[in-house]
Amino acid sequence: MTTPLDTAHGAMDANPDDEAARRRFYERLMESELFLVLQTEPAGERIDPLILPVESERYVLAFDRIERMAEFADKPMPYLALSGRRLARLIGGQGLGIGVNLGVAPSSILVPVSAVDWLAAA
């Protein structure tokens, strides 16, 4: 099933020099409900996201459909549902990027730390 995030990502990929397409993708990401993969169940307001190191950066993992998260994890995992905007604000300034739909969707992308920090401030 194609999601609005897949569609926005496809438009951005098809037109890498189109700044408007890039903005639409990030707007869609910020508006989307995302499922953030956690290492452990939340304890009050404390969460412990699963962090994936890639080269010199670290990424939290988020999916726009719970089924996609389940496919990626291949086992039950604790998670937190929140908007992309809330996620960016939560991790902005902490040296974390966002791995979105990694390996399970056409919208699979690593959003770098610099982009997350910019989105958190916007």
Side-chain angles (χ1 to χ4, degrees):
M1 172 171 136
T2 301
T3 66
L5 192 60
D6 295 336
T7 302
H9 185 268
M12 181 179 73
D13 266 0
N15 302 295
D17 297 327
D18 184 345
E19 190 60 35
R22 180 176 287 110
R23 268 195 317 273
R24 281 190 298 275
F25 169 75
Y26 283 108
E27 286 170 2
R28 175 60 63 195
L29 180 63
M30 292 298 96
E31 294 167 358
S32 295
E33 178 180 43
L34 299 175
F35 299 93
L36 175 66
V37 180
L38 304 176
Q39 292 189 63
T40 58
E41 292 292 338
E45 292 195 20
R46 178 165 159 58
I47 62 166
D48 188 14
L50 183 65
I51 296 177
L52 177 69
V54 177
E55 296 176 10
S56 63
E57 293 198 0
R58 300 175 321 137
Y59 295 85
V60 298
L61 301 176
F63 299 85
D64 67 343
R65 295 289 183 259
I66 195 127
E67 297 84 6
R68 289 176 170 180
M69 183 189 75
E71 181 182 343
F72 176 87
D74 199 30
K75 65 179 181 177
M77 296 289 292
Y79 67 90
L80 177 67
L82 69 169
S83 71
R85 183 167 282 106
R86 185 165 173 227
L87 176 57
R89 289 182 182 148
L90 182 70
I91 67 169
Q94 295 187 42
L96 295 168
I98 305 171
V100 179
N101 292 331
L102 293 185
V104 295
S107 55
S108 177
I109 186 171
L110 290 171
V111 178
V113 173
S114 58
V116 171
D117 290 346
W118 181 83
L119 290 166

